[in-house]
Amino acid sequence: MVVLKGHIERVTFSSEETAFCVCRIKVKEEKNLVTIVGNMVNPVPGEFVELEGKWISHPKFGNQLQVTRYKTLVPATQAGIQKYLGSGMIKGIGPVMAKRIVQKFGVHSLDIIEKNIQQLAQVEGIGTKRVEMIRQAWEEQKEVRTVMLFLQSHGVSPAYAAKIFKTYGQDAIGIVKENPYRLARDIFGIGFLTADNIAHNLGIQKNAPQRIEAGLEYVLNQLADEGHVCYPYLELCQKIQQMLEVEQDLVFKGIADSFSADRIVIEDIHPDMDEVQENQKLVFLKQFHICETRITRRLENLKKAPKTLRKIDVDRAVAWVKDQIHIQFAARQEEAVKRSLDQKVMIITGGPGTGKTTIINAILKILKKAGARILLAAPTGRAAKRMSEATREKARTIHRMLDYSMQIFGFKKNDTNPLKCDVLIIDEASMIDTVLMHHLLKAVPAGATLILVGDVHQLPSVGPGNVLNDIISSQCFHVVKLETIFRQAQKSLIVVNAHRINKGEFPILAKEDSKANFYFIQKEDPEDILNTIKDLVKDRIPKKFGFHPLNDIQVLTPMHRGVIGAGNLNIQLQAILNDSSQGLVRGNREFKIHDKVMQIKNNYDKHTYNGDIGIIDHIDFINQKIIIDFDDRKIDYDFSSMDEIVHAYAVSIHKSQGSEYPAVVIPIAVQHYMLLQRNLIYTAVTRGKKLVVLVGTKKALGMAISTVNALKRHTRLKHRLIQSCSFEPRTPEYDLFRPDQQ
């Protein structure tokens, strides 16, 4: 074993998931920097450390010290202290202020902060408020460090220590010792596996009841992330048993205990309703069961309740609006307008170029003439913005319309304070998940007309459920499917190919030297695909079409991992598109000014939602904040909140739903075979407004086009609607699930 002392010169790599880091250390006796590898708590440049470990030889990087134990010491030199204070770990002190403090107090700077902090007021730019900010941050750092060291010794990532401390304060260590599984429930980013590792280190047994209950909850939440509202009982038991490595009887008991504690719901499935074995059961997390049953009840009540809007002569209204907008409707378009006026709940579905916007505008014109109170909304900010531009009427996100309040931790608009409208039109309805639909319907007044507009062949919602598809296939509500591509749209290869893909046909591909809007570039190797994408985004597309690499071009990928997954694409594209030198390192990611980023969870406090894309405008090291510009709304994030943000030079196709981009570039390779489905490629292609470029193999594209409904979602909404309908289900004009009618 070797013992070294020195200060951290730079952090080369630090993983949020494993706490593994690679640092370069300046050791007094050594001429060159020493590379150290191992688990360390939030290593900071300038930090003075004592390390214990053994030398190893890496075939590529040479000699390294593999650290087994370490402790933080006070930096001994002025340079070390300045680097330590200026690293961004203490709110109120950035690189410039650190330099001033060290110039004033030299090697005694840390002693001054620890024992006589008021003297900092002698430093230019530090007033009474700044002194208090630094004092609080210094005390919190000491407390956080204690928590972090405890957690690190029990296998938790240092990236979450500040969050744990912020959530539990001084009680953090006590709570973690008592029930580490609370971390998975209470803190975003800490999952069951991390909590389970801590529990193991604390001596909690594999067969402990709290472990099995937490494991059940974890598996159901993982399945919800895959889109399932519920899951078959026996298959769920197998998944839990496999993950926890415990006996089956203990899993059965854990599920029974969770059911008795009212945390889950178990439903019998009747064989006359489903192609399943008799007495098979489905297991729901309670909130999803509540949402699904109440969606059913509210849709039924909405359909039955009389309209608040006065009766409209449908034929006269349609004749009038034709004259007003000088358009001759196709038969399905005219039917959609008429049914929107005489139905209480109706769905309009169709692909690009089939006239959905024309219909909405015609409906709006008639309803405004009739004096109706109309609300327009969409699931995402970008979809709402597109709806506003298309209709020239105000459209909002569903979240904004329902008015989320941090005071009550819920939506202000609900069944006791409903929306004030006679008609509610929702665009991009395929994106609405079970939870959001539940909250939306809670707020729709009984007398209102609900019109859902969307493309049912796109990917289902990111969240659990398959709401639009289930409503349509229940056959309980009037549906108009638009199929005719209008003459103007027929000129676009993007539109033509989207419909070809939807029918299971291979797209028409333009030659690379032609001036078209849909291209396919054949590349076999993932590295070749990656290099082609980099070249396309940085040079070829901007030169040929004039699109801005950052603002106009979006890379959409089926996967997160791998050479052409979103993770690596973001690293590669950031390197060639953003040469800014000012950045914040969080784990193995660096956020820089001008970075393109995406919010990945709903933050109701900031009114930013899953999928919102912005640009980093400013990094404030003094106050430890990053300011992000989301469509001219500048939102600030604490450094500790940056796990809500990811880079967005490349995003998953799922995350792109509801958005349109001038140009999209889509890698498609056989390595993605698990996710290659027709609706995935269809969704990606329909995100491109003016240009679509596919890069990969025709084999992979063919696999995707021929794969339909490969990943079935477990929901019960369709069957609940069928059971609850007191009216006769109408025979649909098409069957969503017949391959020949896709």
Side-chain angles (χ1 to χ4, degrees), residues 115-173:
K115 298 172 184 175
N116 199 359
I117 198 167
Q118 296 305 324
Q119 287 193 39
L120 286 184
Q122 298 174 27
V123 178
E124 181 191 349
I126 298 183
T128 307
K129 285 185 178 178
R130 177 70 63 81
V131 169
E132 180 57 22
M133 181 193 294
I134 295 169
R135 186 194 66 76
Q136 288 182 1
W138 183 259
E139 290 299 320
E140 189 171 291
Q141 272 300 317
K142 288 199 301 185
E143 292 168 348
V144 167
R145 180 65 59 137
T146 303
V147 173
M148 288 168 90
L149 288 171
F150 167 78
L151 293 170
Q152 188 235 2
S153 67
H154 291 94
V156 72
S157 161
Y160 301 127
K163 285 197 160 195
I164 293 170
F165 181 80
K166 193 174 181 181
T167 304
Y168 303 132
Q170 297 284 1
D171 300 324
I173 292 174

Side-chain angles (χ1 to χ4, degrees), residues 659-676:
S659 298
E660 259 189 2
Y661 312 95
V664 298
V665 179
I666 308 160
I668 177 164
V670 289
Q671 285 83 357
H672 296 157
Y673 73 94
M674 286 291 290
L675 292 170
L676 291 179

Side-chain angles (χ1 to χ4, degrees), residues 115-387:
K115 298 172 184 175
N116 199 359
I117 198 167
Q118 296 305 324
Q119 287 193 39
L120 286 184
Q122 298 174 27
V123 178
E124 181 191 349
I126 298 183
T128 307
K129 285 185 178 178
R130 177 70 63 81
V131 169
E132 180 57 22
M133 181 193 294
I134 295 169
R135 186 194 66 76
Q136 288 182 1
W138 183 259
E139 290 299 320
E140 189 171 291
Q141 272 300 317
K142 288 199 301 185
E143 292 168 348
V144 167
R145 180 65 59 137
T146 303
V147 173
M148 288 168 90
L149 288 171
F150 167 78
L151 293 170
Q152 188 235 2
S153 67
H154 291 94
V156 72
S157 161
Y160 301 127
K163 285 197 160 195
I164 293 170
F165 181 80
K166 193 174 181 181
T167 304
Y168 303 132
Q170 297 284 1
D171 300 324
I173 292 174
I175 287 170
V176 171
K177 282 182 176 178
E178 182 186 350
N179 183 8
Y181 295 105
R182 275 189 60 179
L183 296 173
R185 290 195 190 103
D186 297 345
I187 301 173
F188 173 73
I190 296 183
F192 171 81
L193 299 179
T194 300
D196 196 38
N197 188 41
I198 298 168
H200 173 71
N201 290 332
L202 287 168
I204 293 175
Q205 297 298 309
K206 265 190 170 185
N207 58 1
Q210 70 258 46
R211 180 174 186 261
I212 293 167
E213 287 176 29
L216 162 64
E217 198 171 307
Y218 168 74
V219 171
L220 283 172
N221 276 307
Q222 288 290 103
L223 291 166
D225 288 344
E226 294 173 16
H228 302 292
V229 175
C230 52
Y231 211 71
Y233 178 85
L234 292 176
E235 291 176 43
L236 177 66
C237 290
Q238 288 170 3
K239 284 182 177 289
I240 296 167
Q241 187 182 1
Q242 185 178 11
M243 187 190 73
L244 297 181
E245 297 177 336
V246 295
E247 294 176 7
Q248 191 178 56
D249 288 347
L250 290 173
V251 176
F252 291 158
K253 185 179 186 306
I255 292 177
D257 290 344
S258 291
F259 176 72
S260 299
D262 206 26
R263 283 193 290 271
I264 62 170
V265 174
I266 301 175
E267 267 191 6
D268 282 316
I269 308 176
H270 301 294
D272 59 327
M273 291 297 296
D274 299 79
E275 295 176 11
V276 295
Q277 296 174 2
E278 195 169 356
N279 297 324
Q280 188 173 336
K281 298 174 173 62
L282 287 173
V283 183
F284 297 75
L285 284 169
K286 188 170 183 185
Q287 67 151 330
F288 296 146
H289 187 266
I290 290 171
C291 290
E292 205 177 71
T293 52
R294 291 184 183 173
I295 287 171
T296 306
R297 189 172 71 223
R298 289 194 167 99
L299 280 173
E300 183 186 1
N301 292 343
L302 196 59
K303 184 176 177 73
K304 289 178 179 177
K307 282 174 175 271
T308 52
L309 185 64
R310 65 180 176 82
K311 189 171 175 61
I312 296 172
D313 186 321
V314 172
D315 291 327
R316 282 184 62 192
V318 170
W320 174 82
V321 82
K322 281 182 188 175
D323 188 53
Q324 291 289 308
I325 61 178
H326 309 293
I327 284 179
Q328 197 62 39
F329 294 129
R332 290 281 178 85
Q333 282 187 308
E334 184 164 324
E335 185 198 354
V337 176
K338 287 181 175 179
R339 297 296 75 82
S340 297
L341 301 177
D342 63 22
Q343 296 290 311
K344 278 296 301 305
V345 179
M346 71 97 56
I347 298 97
I348 301 168
T349 182
T354 55
K356 295 192 295 291
T357 301
T358 301
I359 292 169
I360 293 173
N361 282 326
I363 293 166
L364 286 173
K365 210 163 188 65
I366 294 169
L367 292 173
K368 285 173 75 175
K369 179 77 171 174
R373 297 170 299 166
I374 310 162
L375 288 177
L376 306 179
T380 66
R382 293 199 164 205
K385 188 176 180 182
R386 283 172 45 214
M387 195 180 192

Side-chain angles (χ1 to χ4, degrees), residues 13-83:
F13 174 81
S14 179
S15 168
E16 291 183 11
E17 295 301 316
T18 64
F20 178 80
C21 69
V22 180
C23 299
R24 300 280 279 165
I25 306 290
K26 177 61 179 162
V27 179
K28 191 174 182 180
E29 304 84 24
E30 298 285 338
K31 183 180 177 182
N32 298 321
L33 296 178
V34 174
T35 301
I36 64 111
V37 297
N39 287 355
M40 288 183 68
V41 177
N42 194 25
V44 175
E47 193 170 8
F48 201 68
V49 289
E50 182 179 284
L51 309 160
E52 187 178 314
K54 62 180 180 179
W55 291 108
I56 58 171
S57 180
H58 190 281
K60 185 175 180 182
F61 301 111
N63 284 346
Q64 302 174 337
L65 185 74
Q66 189 168 49
V67 177
T68 52
R69 288 178 59 203
Y70 81 99
K71 62 180 178 181
T72 302
L73 306 172
V74 176
T77 65
Q78 286 193 193
I81 293 169
Q82 182 178 322
K83 201 165 226 181

Side-chain angles (χ1 to χ4, degrees), residues 557-575:
T557 179
M559 294 187 78
H560 291 282
R561 296 179 181 176
V563 174
I564 45 178
N568 188 54
L569 280 166
N570 274 309
I571 293 169
Q572 300 289 331
L573 292 169
Q574 182 194 41

Side-chain angles (χ1 to χ4, degrees), residues 452-489:
L452 300 174
V453 183
D455 186 346
V456 80
H457 296 295
Q458 285 187 26
L459 287 169
S461 57
V462 175
N466 202 357
V467 176
L468 184 66
N469 214 325
D470 283 349
I471 292 173
I472 291 173
S473 55
S474 74
Q475 304 177 22
C476 293
F477 305 94
H478 202 101
V479 180
V480 175
K481 182 183 182 187
L482 306 171
E483 293 174 312
T484 305
I485 308 174
F486 288 90
R487 190 177 303 163
Q488 188 175 354

